[in-house]
Amino acid sequence: MMTTDWVAQYLEQFIKKVARENDRLAGKTPYIPYDGFYSDVMIERGYDWWANGFWGGILWQLFNATDQDQFREAAIIQEKRLDRALYEFKDIHHDVGFMWLLTAVAHYQVTGDEQAYRTGLHAASLLAGRFNIEGNFLVSWNDHPGWVIIDSMMNIQLLYWASEQTGDPRFAKLATRHAQTVAKYLVRPDGSVGHIASFNPDTGAFLTQLAGQGVSAESAWSRGNAWALYGFAATYRHTRQLEFLTIAKRVADYFIQQCQLTNDIPLADFRAPKVPQIFDTSAGMIAAAGLLALAELLPKSQQAPYRQAAIKIIQAIVGRYGNWQLTEDGIIGGGTEAYYRPATYEVPLIYADYFFGEALLRLKGNALILW
C-alpha cells in the first residue's frame, strides 16, 4: 500500500521514541507518565490491571514491522509479567481480551510460539466462562455480575480468534450472542453508545443503562463510542453478519459528526457540559484505527469518507498533542481516563499510543491485525 510522507515521518519518530522509552522502562509496564516519566503500573495497580497489555502490543506491532530484536525481547518480558495475573486467577475480568490479544496472541501470530498459543487459548477459555446463559452476555466485572460494558466489544475478539484456531464454534457463538446483546441494549438509534448495561444476573432481564466513565447514563462517553465503532467492525470481520457492519457504520458516522464540531479532536463525552471543555485523544486514536479497519471491510467506493476522517483525527491530535521529545515518556497527550477523574484529565495514556501506532501501520499497510 502506498503511504504518504507524513505517515512515514510519524512512524519513524514513533519507532525512535518507543525504543528510547523501552530503554528507560527496563522491563516495567507503563500506563500514564506522570511528571513526564513512566512508573510501573503493575506495581501500582496490580498485575490484572486492564491496560497492562498495551505496551506489549506496541512492541509486537513494531517487531512485526521492523524485525528489530529489541522489541521482541521486551515484548516477551511483558508477556511473562502479565501471565502472573492469568495463573494466579485473582480478580480476573473480561479484559483478558485486551491483555492477551496484544501479548500472547500477537506473540503466536508473529513467531508461532506454542506456549503463547496455549496462553491465548487459556485466556479465551476464562473469558468464555464468564457467559451468562440467561441474558446472553459476558460478565464484565466480578463484583457486578449483571454488568456489561461497551469495552467488551474489543475483548470478544479473543473468542473469535480461539474459534478460528481450534475449529470449535462455541467460542464464536458466545461472542456473537454477546455482541447482539450489546447492540440491543447499549447502541442507540442515533449512533451514540451507553457505557454500562445492567442486567438481573439471575434472570438475564435488562434493567438500565449506567453512567460509567461518562457524564451520565444518557450521555455519550467518547471512548465508549470508539470501542463500539472498532469492536463492531471487528465483529463483522469475523462473522460477516451485516447487522454488525451496519452498527459499526452508524457509530462511526456519529463519531465523525461529533468530532467535526471540535476540529477533529473528540471531547471526553460528546454530551458533556460546555464548561469545562475536556478532550480525550485516546478516544480519537481508537476511533481512527477503527475507522481504518472499517474502511478495509467496505467496497472501495465506500472507503474514502472513513479513511479521510481517520486521517483528519490523527493529524489534528498529533498537531496539538504529539510529543516527540526523546527525553520524556508518552507520545500522544490529551487523553482523559474518565470524566469524573480530574487527576487524569488530558494526560498521555498508553492505549492512545498503541492505537496511534496501529493506525500508522494500517495506513502503511503492514499492521499486525489482532482484532
Side-chain angles (χ1 to χ4, degrees), residues 88-241:
E88 287 185 356
F89 196 68
K90 180 182 179 182
D91 296 327
I92 207 69
H93 39 71
H94 77 122
D95 285 317
V96 294
F98 280 127
M99 296 161 79
W100 283 283
L101 268 171
L102 294 169
T103 54
V105 171
H107 187 182
Y108 174 67
Q109 193 165 318
V110 174
T111 72
D113 184 87
E114 288 297 323
Q115 180 55 50
Y117 171 81
R118 289 189 289 270
T119 300
L121 287 183
H122 185 176
S125 296
L126 292 175
L127 182 56
R130 304 185 68 80
F131 193 75
N132 181 303
I133 60 174
E134 299 295 338
N136 284 312
F137 61 83
L138 293 156
V139 177
S140 293
W141 297 312
N142 298 335
D143 53 350
H144 294 287
W147 284 14
V148 173
I149 65 173
I150 194 64
D151 318 40
S152 63
M153 287 304 301
M154 299 296 285
N155 289 316
I156 63 171
Q157 309 313 316
L158 178 63
L159 299 178
Y160 289 119
W161 172 83
S163 268
E164 291 161 4
Q165 291 297 315
T166 63
D168 187 336
R170 292 176 297 173
F171 292 105
K173 287 182 180 296
L174 295 180
T176 299
R177 289 186 182 183
H178 176 85
Q180 290 168 335
T181 300
V182 170
K184 182 176 181 180
Y185 294 108
L186 279 176
V187 181
R188 303 175 184 130
D190 66 353
S192 67
V193 176
H195 186 189
I196 301 173
S198 177
F199 299 85
N200 182 310
D202 292 317
T203 67
F206 174 71
L207 300 175
T208 189
Q209 287 187 9
L210 301 171
Q213 289 170 260
V215 173
S216 69
E218 297 77 30
S219 68
W221 177 53
S222 63
R223 191 158 71 248
N225 280 250
W227 293 138
L229 188 171
Y230 200 154
F232 279 105
T235 299
Y236 171 71
R237 183 173 76 85
H238 289 291
T239 66
R240 296 295 162 170
Q241 294 186 21

Side-chain angles (χ1 to χ4, degrees), residues 46-91:
Y47 288 89
D48 59 354
W49 179 241
W50 76 276
N52 282 350
F54 284 103
W55 178 243
I58 290 172
L59 296 169
W60 280 120
Q61 288 284 2
L62 293 188
F63 175 69
N64 184 63
T66 68
D67 206 32
Q68 293 184 29
D69 283 341
Q70 61 171 323
F71 297 130
R72 175 182 58 82
E73 292 166 2
I76 291 172
I77 289 170
Q78 289 299 307
E79 183 181 338
K80 290 184 182 301
R81 296 192 87 206
L82 190 59
D83 285 352
R84 175 172 170 179
L86 189 63
Y87 295 109
E88 287 185 356
F89 196 68
K90 180 182 179 182
D91 296 327

